Amino acid sequence: MLNRIVVVGAAAAGLTAVETLRAKGYEGELTLVGDERHPPYDRPPLSKELLSPGWEPPSTWLRKKDVLAAVDADLRLGCRATGLDPTARTVTLSTGEKLPYDAAIIATGLRPRRLPCGDGLRGVHVLRSLDDAVRLREALAAGPRVAVIGAGFLGAEIAATARGAGLDVTLIDTNAQPLARQVGAEIGGLVAGLHREHGVRLVLGADVVGMARDGAGVRGVLLADGTTVDADLVVVAIGSEPAVDWLADSGLPLGDGVLCDAYCRAAPGVWAAGDVANWPHPMVAGARVRLEQRTNAAQQAMAVVANLLAGDGGGARPYTPVPFGWTHQFGEKIQTIGWCPPDARTEIISGSTADREFVAAYHRDGILVGGLGWNSARGLRQCRQLLGRPSSELSATAAGV
């Protein structure tokens, strides 16, 4: 019997899990634990809209307080989970309280990686939480020279937002192009051109070795070639890691996240959803995946709830989503589906890169594994239908994409 369910993590995945449980008729005790004091909020706006004037923190909330209250869950916000015992079936909180459960869903997301240099130095920021975004917005309002370390989606978005506010911005990365790990060098080169066109200074193929200090504050970024990028404010955006440290003594399988089976189950009575979940996906033969995408957080939470409620009756289904992500930079909308690995062969199948309206297909070993639409949502939807199919089938439909 499922009388007590505990969901750990109160962001998009955790909120979706508790709402889906109620929507599917679960009437037992339901507890949602979140280590932040804020109501569940959306993360994509943190690197874009919230850094600009006009947005306030409540604009990011996923639900108004009355709607959240209607879920009838015991909200433990501002309270951190410190342990999980799958044998005793309890979750331990930072207060020392132990929450018993019949089923637990882990949705604790990510923590930002930090550089060994500069941590604790005034003017050095990371961006993961709502509080991080508020602090960064306040600092940007002073008009500093900005250096962003890391040109992935997050770093590139922060650089674009800061430059859009008229600030002096330098974007630094070890790769030869921005977004190289996410979409490959060819499209990354187009992103580089977009940033240069808008006045962002790019320092690529560069290794950061330290921070130049002005007392307790930062005054620049030190590079391996001996040069210094002058900056009054530095944002470290070098990726994130799954928040699983609190599970170290749980006995759960951990690695790059919580290691689950194809149904997103980590152990009897324990499931995982969102950025922290790692599971085998049939579209990635012989490999496991972990998706850091907003759309996946909600989809996976709904799949977990369906499998959890199915019990042992045979109704559980493997979770096999098609990844979907997006980024907005300088008014350009870039969307991805499937996988766009840097070692894939990239082919522009419709539109024009010069016009910044096109669809790119990603091929690996003769299979279409992903697609990217630059201001071309309709074309990308058509490309999606052929994912996982032989690349040769794409040529037959390219004219209609």
Side-chain angles (χ1 to χ4, degrees):
M1 289 288 293
L2 292 174
N3 295 317
R4 298 170 297 192
I5 297 179
V6 175
V7 180
V8 184
L15 175 64
T16 301
V18 297
E19 290 185 328
T20 304
L21 281 162
R22 291 304 192 209
K24 287 184 173 291
Y26 173 72
E27 297 180 349
E29 294 180 17
L30 185 55
T31 304
L32 179 62
V33 179
D35 61 359
E36 296 185 57
R37 57 187 173 83
H38 305 288
Y41 60 85
D42 212 10
R43 294 192 190 277
L46 301 187
S47 57
K48 298 180 282 291
E49 293 90 348
L50 193 65
L51 293 185
S52 303
W55 270 60
E56 294 301 326
S59 300
T60 68
W61 293 355
L62 289 167
R63 300 291 183 270
K64 294 182 178 179
K65 289 185 177 181
D66 58 337
V67 175
L68 190 59
V71 177
D72 190 24
D74 181 7
L75 300 181
R76 304 294 187 93
L77 301 179
C79 185
R80 185 168 52 89
T82 60
L84 184 148
D85 185 336
T87 301
R89 296 208 173 192
T90 59
V91 170
T92 303
L93 304 182
S94 53
T95 60
E97 182 182 3
K98 292 183 183 294
L99 300 177
Y101 68 81
D102 299 309
I105 300 174
I106 299 169
T108 43
L110 305 171
R111 291 199 176 94
R113 293 193 179 98
R114 299 173 184 267
L115 289 171
C117 57
D119 198 17
L121 190 63
R122 188 179 67 248
V124 177
H125 296 255
V126 294
L127 178 54
R128 174 64 187 173
S129 70
L130 180 56
D131 289 340
D132 290 337
V134 170
R135 283 190 292 267
L136 180 55
R137 181 175 70 172
E138 292 173 351
L140 290 173
R145 297 168 299 174
V146 178
V148 180
I149 303 172
F153 283 124
L154 179 63
E157 288 175 355
I158 294 170
T161 302
R163 183 59 193 150
L167 302 181
D168 179 287
V169 179
T170 302
L171 183 58
I172 306 167
D173 199 88
T174 57
N175 290 294
Q177 303 293 354
L179 273 62
R181 293 187 185 92
Q182 291 81 14
V183 298
E186 182 175 348
I187 304 302
L190 300 176
V191 175
L194 176 66
H195 277 255
R196 289 191 179 104
E197 178 184 306
H198 285 83
V200 175
R201 187 180 305 106
L202 298 181
V203 179
L204 302 172
D207 292 317
V208 173
V209 296
M211 301 286 177
R213 296 170 176 260
D214 180 9
V218 68
R219 66 172 179 84
V221 178
L222 304 177
L223 304 181
D225 64 2
T227 61
T228 300
V229 175
D230 294 332
D232 312 300
L233 184 151
V234 176
V235 183
V236 178
I238 56 173
S240 301
E241 53 192 17
V244 295
D245 55 305
W246 66 285
L247 297 168
D249 297 326
S250 68
L252 294 177
L254 305 176
D256 180 26
V258 178
L259 305 183
C260 304
D261 62 16
Y263 304 92
C264 306
R265 181 175 47 213
V270 182
W271 311 74
D275 299 339
V276 76
N278 182 310
W279 81 103
H281 195 297
M283 285 186 68
V284 186
R288 306 179 67 88
V289 301
R290 188 176 60 76
L291 298 179
E292 298 180 14
Q293 295 174 335
R294 173 63 178 83
T295 50
N296 178 70
Q299 292 173 357
Q300 192 164 28
M302 289 187 283
V304 162
V305 168
N307 288 341
L308 184 160
L309 294 178
D312 298 323
R317 296 182 179 180
Y319 181 56
T320 59
V322 175
F324 174 77
W326 72 91
T327 180
H328 295 169
Q329 299 174 34
F330 296 115
E332 307 289 316
K333 187 172 185 178
I334 304 170
Q335 299 171 302
T336 61
I337 56 167
W339 281 266
C340 303
D343 61 344
R345 178 175 66 86
T346 307
E347 175 190 13
I348 306 301
I349 59 173
S350 72
S352 164
T353 58
D355 294 336
R356 289 185 179 147
E357 185 174 338
F358 63 88
V359 174
Y362 288 74
H363 308 275
R364 177 185 271 174
D365 299 327
I367 301 295
L368 179 67
V369 296
L372 178 145
W374 190 308
N375 294 327
S376 188
R378 178 175 176 273
L380 191 62
R381 285 195 297 270
Q382 293 176 327
C383 182
R384 183 189 191 281
Q385 300 171 6
L386 295 176
L387 286 181
R389 307 276 290 276
S391 299
S392 58
E393 295 186 18
L394 185 62
S395 59
T397 59
V401 173

